[in-house]
Amino acid sequence: MYWVPPVEPLKLLAAADALAREETHIQRVSRYADPYLARRSAGQKHPVEDFLFTYYTQKPGQLKRWHPGAGAVLTGGQAAGRLGWKHYRMLDDGELASLGLAAGSTAVTFDRPAFLADRKEAVDFAGIILRGTAARPAQFGCFGLHEWAMVYRQDKFDLRHEYLQLRLGAAGTDRVVEDNRIRCTHFDAFRFYTPDAIPLNEHSPSRDTQRHLEQPGCLHANMDLYKWAYKLLPALPSELVMDCFELSWRIRAMDMQASPYDLAEWGYPAIPIETPQGKAAYVEHQRAFAMEAGILRERLAAELGALSDRAPR
């Protein structure tokens, strides 16, 4: 038998409301994207504020595109502008009639079957990560030492941020790594360790074990909510994606404040995790971020669940 998708519940968005949401979204993104684009044009770098645009694959122009999410129907100029966008479709006459629109009207909505045909694997993997992470206890004993492990014995290896100075110098940085337990659970942080730091980590994260190790106290796992969100566009409303983006932005700032780099001149005072006071401050921030991320993770999981409920089994 062929799988027949259930009828998509559709909701017509008033043109004025849709336009207001789109303009608000563009302004929200521009606050972060425009300074980055200006720096890029000038050949300048920022160790904190460039990261979400250089590490993740979503480009500023893509992020500025507003999507209303699954089930929303756009009409008029907004619909016409999206006719060539991937994973949008025109409404048929029956759907138009059900919304009180005249036959032949220009109206578009998210194309769920086409999206799932293209992105089913990504949807499934995102669900595994989100549900698995939420189910595990949070760990708060890493103190951001992954960044320190990335420059451990830096005299032997290339420094990742070559235009930054180490706050404690090379020898002092190495001592912090050697005097603390390194227990990173996140593969995409662990993979940047220097070779000499790899055996010091209590875990051996890999892409294969990612689904078993991700836990909700991890800063990078919580930053990655932005990644899972934009990978599900245009099924998700852009407002949710930007909620994840802004949390990731703040986490990145704190992560770098706790790093071995001297960022005072960039406006980011150090969280000295080599001290008891610094460790306590780090954990306080980490717990607060974990609570915020937990709420967003639930919202993403709910959106993903609704998407998957209409997927073929």
Side-chain angles (χ1 to χ4, degrees):
M1 294 178 61
Y2 290 101
W3 173 74
V4 179
V7 175
E8 179 79 58
L10 299 176
K11 179 180 180 181
L12 180 63
L13 293 186
D17 292 341
L19 182 60
R21 284 177 61 184
E22 183 171 33
E23 289 176 347
T24 298
H25 172 73
I26 292 171
Q27 291 172 2
R28 191 176 179 187
V29 176
S30 294
R31 175 187 169 195
Y32 304 96
D34 290 358
Y36 162 71
L37 292 171
R39 284 192 300 272
R40 190 177 69 178
S41 243
Q44 299 170 347
K45 296 180 180 180
H46 195 294
V48 179
E49 297 173 10
D50 290 352
F51 182 78
L52 268 61
F53 299 112
T54 56
Y55 177 75
Y56 293 109
T57 59
Q58 181 85 332
K59 295 179 175 62
Q62 294 171 316
L63 186 59
K64 281 186 177 182
R65 283 187 167 190
W66 174 71
H67 302 280
V73 175
L74 299 174
T75 57
Q78 286 195 318
R82 285 164 174 77
L83 288 177
W85 290 16
K86 195 171 185 180
H87 300 136
Y88 278 87
R89 66 172 180 85
M90 288 279 291
L91 269 64
D92 62 34
D93 285 345
E95 291 170 324
L96 292 171
S98 72
L99 295 172
L101 298 173
S105 297
T106 301
V108 301
T109 192
F110 167 64
D111 190 340
R112 185 186 303 270
F115 179 84
L116 290 173
D118 290 344
R119 306 298 307 280
K120 182 68 164 58
E121 186 174 336
V123 169
D124 289 345
F125 188 68
I128 289 169
I129 295 295
L130 291 171
R131 290 189 297 270
T133 302
R136 296 185 190 96
Q139 300 175 29
F140 300 108
C142 68
F143 306 120
L145 285 161
H146 54 274
E147 287 287 343
W148 298 69
M150 293 176 193
V151 293
Y152 180 57
R153 295 182 178 172
Q154 61 105 17
D155 289 341
K156 291 174 60 178
F157 308 104
D158 292 333
L159 187 64
R160 291 184 66 221
H161 297 287
E162 70 281 356
Y163 58 101
L164 299 177
Q165 297 297 314
L166 294 175
R167 185 167 53 82
L168 303 180
T173 299
D174 291 349
R175 280 195 298 273
V176 172
V177 174
E178 292 161 357
D179 291 346
N180 287 273
R181 295 173 63 187
I182 315 296
R183 55 185 90 175
C184 180
T185 57
H186 193 73
F187 171 66
D188 284 316
F190 178 72
R191 67 190 176 97
F192 290 110
Y193 278 26
T194 64
D196 286 1
I198 289 173
L200 301 180
N201 203 65
E202 291 187 1
H203 305 280
S204 298
S206 68
R207 190 63 71 203
D208 289 340
T209 62
Q210 182 179 7
R211 66 188 64 199
H212 306 297
L213 286 178
E214 296 275 287
Q215 47 86 18
C218 172
L219 292 188
H220 279 259
N222 293 332
M223 287 178 66
D224 278 351
L225 291 177
Y226 167 57
K227 175 177 70 175
W228 304 122
Y230 76 70
K231 283 182 178 293
L232 295 174
L233 285 172
L236 271 57
S238 287
E239 290 85 352
L240 175 53
V241 177
M242 278 306 294
D243 287 346
C244 295
F245 177 97
E246 289 180 340
L247 174 62
S248 186
W249 182 278
R250 289 185 287 115
I251 291 175
R252 170 63 177 177
M254 195 277 274
D255 193 30
M256 290 302 286
Q257 286 180 268
S259 77
Y261 304 109
D262 185 351
L263 298 173
E265 291 186 2
W266 299 83
Y268 293 89
I271 297 174
I273 56 91
E274 70 275 12
T275 69
Q277 296 83 0
K279 284 183 170 66
Y282 184 91
V283 172
E284 182 179 357
H285 287 297
Q286 192 178 24
R287 288 183 180 276
F289 285 139
M291 289 184 64
E292 287 188 68
I295 295 169
L296 288 176
R297 191 173 282 111
E298 286 183 9
R299 290 171 61 190
L300 286 171
E303 292 279 355
L304 193 143
L307 186 67
S308 298
D309 283 346
R310 292 179 172 83
R313 301 299 180 187

